[in-house]
Amino acid sequence: MKQQKKLSVVFYYLLGAFIIMCNSCATRSTVDSSEVYLKGPVVSCGHLTIYQVSEDNKSYIQIIIDTEKIELDRENIWTIPSDNAYVTVRLRKFEEEIVSRLCNDVNVRRNKPAIALLATLGTLTLCMTEAEWINYKKGKRYKVDLKSPGMKFDDESTYGLNISQATVGWLPG
């Protein structure tokens, strides 16, 4: 009887851990942040480079994950500043619209250089469904969800991320 009680307690602990793990990548409708996160278009390119653009198309948060150096799991959580040199998060602000210049091989001269800031504090979570993770493992294009409850940047601004189903992977061309 005592051993059965121990097994049921262990079962509930394991079940609780499983539920917490599954919920960490579950889609949430809001992300807490001291400032509203950028709400413009999401642009993605390369193996894993994603831009969350501001509504006025003059700023973006750029997430670069070097998948040539690290292998992704279905769920990935990184501490910012990055635990390694393979995850970079930047905030860039421009005086003119920039969205059409992202993921573009053509360098356009800008009147003034961008204000460039690095993320200095926070966490970044990247999740994939099982099907997308299989596509990633096969070297095909795949979709990722990126979330952060709030990252601090060099200028002390804080932005959250809530990017769903951004398509990444090498594109032919």
Side-chain angles (χ1 to χ4, degrees):
M1 181 77 162
K2 198 172 194 178
Q3 187 173 11
Q4 185 179 13
K5 186 175 179 182
K6 278 185 177 180
L7 286 175
S8 65
V9 169
V10 170
F11 171 76
Y12 286 113
Y13 278 120
L14 291 174
L15 180 62
F18 177 74
I19 289 170
I20 289 169
M21 187 174 72
C22 289
N23 283 337
S24 66
C25 275
T27 302
R28 295 183 179 101
S29 59
T30 60
V31 174
D32 294 331
S33 177
S34 64
E35 293 185 22
V36 176
Y37 53 93
L38 305 184
K39 294 183 178 182
V42 172
V43 178
S44 53
C45 53
H47 211 264
L48 197 86
T49 301
I50 298 176
Y51 300 88
Q52 174 66 67
V53 182
S54 64
E55 289 178 290
D56 66 0
N57 291 321
K58 293 182 178 182
S59 301
Y60 62 74
I61 292 177
Q62 177 187 46
I63 301 102
I64 301 171
I65 301 169
D66 189 348
T67 56
E68 297 294 318
K69 306 246 167 83
I70 59 172
E71 189 168 332
L72 299 176
D73 290 321
R74 281 196 56 222
E75 178 181 338
N76 307 269
I77 300 173
W78 296 284
T79 301
I80 304 297
S82 180
D83 301 348
N84 57 55
Y86 313 125
V87 178
T88 305
V89 181
R90 292 186 185 109
L91 172 62
R92 292 206 170 147
K93 299 177 182 183
F94 300 86
E95 289 192 4
E96 65 262 357
E97 289 190 15
I98 44 82
V99 74
S100 64
R101 299 177 190 167
L102 302 176
C103 299
N104 190 338
D105 291 339
V106 178
N107 266 333
V108 178
R109 281 197 172 178
R110 295 183 174 94
N111 293 333
K112 289 192 172 186
I115 296 170
L117 307 165
L118 283 174
T120 58
L121 184 64
T123 59
L124 178 66
T125 302
L126 179 144
C127 297
M128 291 179 261
T129 64
E130 182 68 27
E132 297 301 336
W133 189 70
I134 290 169
N135 284 341
Y136 159 72
K137 296 294 280 179
K138 290 181 177 179
K140 296 180 178 181
R141 289 174 51 194
Y142 55 100
K143 294 181 181 182
V144 299
D145 295 333
L146 284 164
K147 293 181 177 36
S148 176
M151 278 186 273
K152 263 197 187 308
F153 290 85
D154 291 329
D155 67 348
E156 296 301 315
S157 60
T158 302
Y159 294 96
L161 288 174
N162 192 4
I163 298 172
S164 296
Q165 298 296 289
T167 301
V168 292
W170 292 109
L171 303 175

